[in-house]
Amino acid sequence: MAALVVGAGAGIVASSSDAAPTLIRWIEPAGLIWVAAIRMTVIPLVVASLIVAVADTDARSMGRLGIRSLGVFLLLLSLVATFTALTAPAVFDLITIDATAAASLRADVGTGVALPTLPSFTDWLVSLVPVNPIAAAASGAMLPLVVFTIAFGLALGRVEAVKREAVVGVFRAVASAVTVLIEWILKATPLGVLSLAFVVAARIGTAVVGAVAFYVVVYAAFLIAATLLVYLAVALLSRTRVSTFARAMLPAQVVALTTRSSMAALPAMVVAADRSLALPSTASSFGLPLAVSTFRLNQAVSWVVMALFAAKLYGVELSNITVISLAVTSVLMSFSVPGIPSASLFVVAPFFGALGIPAEAIGVLIALDLLPDLFKTLLNVTAQLGAVTIASGGNPASELPASSLPLRETP
C-alpha cells in the first residue's frame, strides 16, 4: 500500500512534467519484469494443483455429502456469477477515464487491444479439446488446457494406487515448488507496485485517483452483496435459521478478516458446525475441508469486476457476450485457484491477454487488492460453512442454546 501511494503520487506529479516520458522509460521495466515473473508461474501451478485435486478425489467414495456439496458449490457460483455479469457492466459504465490517457496507456505498453474474432459455437466447442496440450500451454490457451488436465486427473484416479501416488506425488511437489517461487516473487511486490503505479499515474494523471477509489468501493460492495446472498441461500435451502447461522459464523469471520485466510478460519468453522449448528459429524470431518480446499465463491465476482475495471483503465471495450463468457469461465476455473494472496489474479492473467487487456493491468490490480481481499476472504469463509450447512440439510436442533447441544470431539 505504501508503494502504491508513493508510486501514484510521484506519477501524478510527474504527469505534468516534460520529463515524464523519460522517467516512464526508466522506471517501467521493473514493473514489467515483475509481471512477467508472475505470469511464468501460472500454467505449472494451475496444472499441478488441478491434477492433484482431481486425482485425489474418488467420486465413488466421496459419499452423498460430497456430491451435494459440489452441487451447492456450483449453484452458488452460478448465481453470483450471473448476478455480477448482469449488473457490473452498468455500474462500471459510470467510470469515465480520459480517452487520450487510455490511448497513451495502450500505445506505451505496446499491446494491441482489439478483441479477437469470436469463433462460432461449433468451433469454440471443438477447440475445448486440445489436439496438442503442450501447444495449448505454450500459447496460453487455458480453457482447453484445463479440460485436458481434468480429464488426465480423472483417468489418473482410476490407476492403481501405487502408480497413481507416484505421479500425483510429482505434481504435488511441483505445486509446492511453484508456490515457494510465487512467495519469492511476491517479496518484490513493493518494487513492482511502485513501478506500475508510477507509470499508470504518470500517463493518466489525477483521473486515476477517482477511478481507483470507485473500483475499490464497487468491488467491496459486490463482495458484500454476494455474502448476503449466502445468508439468503441458507435461509431458503436449509433447516437452519439464518439468525443461528449468522451467530455461528461470527468467530470464523473474525479470524477471516484478521488473517485473510480461509484455512486459518477452518478450526473456527469446525467448532461452529459441531457445536453451534449441530451438523452431522461428516460436515466437519469431510465437508468443510472439501469446501476450504476447493470452494472460493469470490471468483464469481472477482473475474468480472477486475476485467471491467482493467478494460476501462486501458480503453478496451468488452461486449456483453465477452462478460458472460468470462463469468462462465470464472465458475469453471474457481476450483483450480490456489490458496495464496491475490490468487485469482495469477490465474486470470492469460484470459486478460485474450480479451486484449495488457498483462500490466495484473500488477495494478494486485496493488489495489489489499482492501478487497478482506471482503473476498469474508465471502469465501461464509460461503464455505454456508454451503456445507445447506448440503447437510441443517439441523433444527441448532435452535437450542449452545450449552444444551451435545459436544463432539472435533478432528
Side-chain angles (χ1 to χ4, degrees):
M1 290 298 293
L4 174 65
V5 172
V6 171
I12 290 173
V13 172
S15 64
S16 58
S17 169
D18 293 337
T22 302
L23 292 173
I24 289 173
R25 188 166 59 251
W26 283 98
I27 294 175
E28 187 173 31
L32 299 181
I33 292 171
W34 180 64
V35 171
I38 291 174
R39 295 178 68 189
M40 77 177 181
T41 66
V42 172
I43 289 178
L45 182 64
V46 170
V47 170
S49 300
L50 201 55
I51 286 177
V52 171
V54 174
D56 281 349
T57 301
D58 185 355
R60 294 172 296 182
S61 63
M62 70 170 57
R64 289 181 296 175
L65 176 61
I67 296 295
R68 288 198 301 267
S69 295
L70 292 174
V72 175
F73 297 167
L74 288 171
L75 173 64
L76 292 177
L77 283 164
S78 300
L79 289 175
V80 172
T82 300
F83 168 76
T84 307
L86 293 178
T87 58
V91 175
F92 276 90
D93 282 342
L94 301 175
I95 293 183
T96 301
I97 295 178
D98 182 69
T100 303
S104 174
L105 278 174
R106 296 197 302 270
D108 289 336
V109 298
T111 304
V113 296
L115 289 176
T117 303
L118 294 177
S120 66
F121 176 77
T122 300
D123 292 338
W124 175 82
L125 191 62
V126 171
S127 71
L128 292 181
V129 181
V131 176
N132 185 340
I134 305 300
S139 63
M142 291 297 294
L143 197 53
L145 183 62
V146 167
V147 169
F148 168 78
T149 304
I150 292 175
F152 181 81
L154 289 172
L156 193 59
R158 295 299 185 95
V159 175
E160 59 182 282
V162 175
K163 295 180 179 178
R164 178 177 68 249
E165 189 53 38
V167 177
V168 172
V170 171
F171 283 103
R172 189 178 289 115
V174 169
S176 299
V178 176
T179 301
V180 172
L181 178 59
I182 290 173
E183 292 174 357
W184 293 349
I185 295 170
L186 290 181
K187 288 182 179 179
T189 293
L191 178 60
V193 165
L194 190 148
S195 170
L196 293 169
F198 175 88
V199 171
V200 171
R203 288 170 177 155
I204 296 182
T206 56
V208 72
V209 177
V212 164
F214 185 93
Y215 165 72
V216 171
V217 171
V218 168
Y219 195 177
F222 270 97
L223 292 168
I224 292 172
T227 303
L228 296 177
L229 181 62
V230 175
Y231 287 99
L232 179 61
V234 170
L236 296 177
L237 302 177
S238 78
R239 295 178 295 168
T240 299
R241 287 190 178 182
V242 69
S243 58
T244 303
F245 175 76
R247 288 195 300 271
M249 275 302 322
L250 280 175
Q253 289 173 333
V254 170
V255 175
L257 285 172
T258 54
T259 65
R260 295 168 58 197
S261 170
S262 298
M263 192 62 69
L266 179 58
M269 285 192 279
V270 168
V271 172
D274 275 349
R275 301 187 179 186
S276 302
L277 299 176
L279 300 180
S281 59
T282 51
S284 59
S285 63
F286 172 72
L288 281 174
L290 175 67
V292 171
S293 300
T294 62
F295 183 41
R296 295 173 180 85
L297 186 56
N298 80 284
Q299 301 303 311
V301 174
S302 298
W303 281 47
V304 173
V305 169
M306 291 187 303
L308 288 170
F309 174 68
K312 281 287 183 179
L313 196 61
Y314 285 88
V316 179
E317 291 292 331
L318 299 183
S319 67
N320 291 332
I321 294 178
T322 300
V323 172
I324 292 172
S325 299
L326 196 62
V328 172
T329 305
S330 73
V331 173
L332 300 176
M333 290 294 296
S334 66
F335 296 101
S336 64
V337 172
I340 58 176
S342 304
S344 57
L345 287 162
F346 285 77
V347 179
V348 79
F351 294 93
F352 271 25
L355 299 177
I357 300 173
E360 289 70 33
I362 298 298
V364 177
L365 295 175
I366 289 178
L368 301 174
D369 203 44
L370 179 60
L371 182 60
D373 196 46
L374 296 175
F375 295 99
K376 286 191 288 186
T377 310
L378 179 69
L379 169 59
N380 287 342
V381 167
T382 305
Q384 285 155 3
L385 183 54
V388 173
T389 301
I390 294 171
S392 59
N395 190 347
S398 62
E399 297 305 313
L400 296 171
S403 59
S404 66
L405 293 175
L407 301 184
R408 293 190 295 268
E409 181 180 353
T410 57

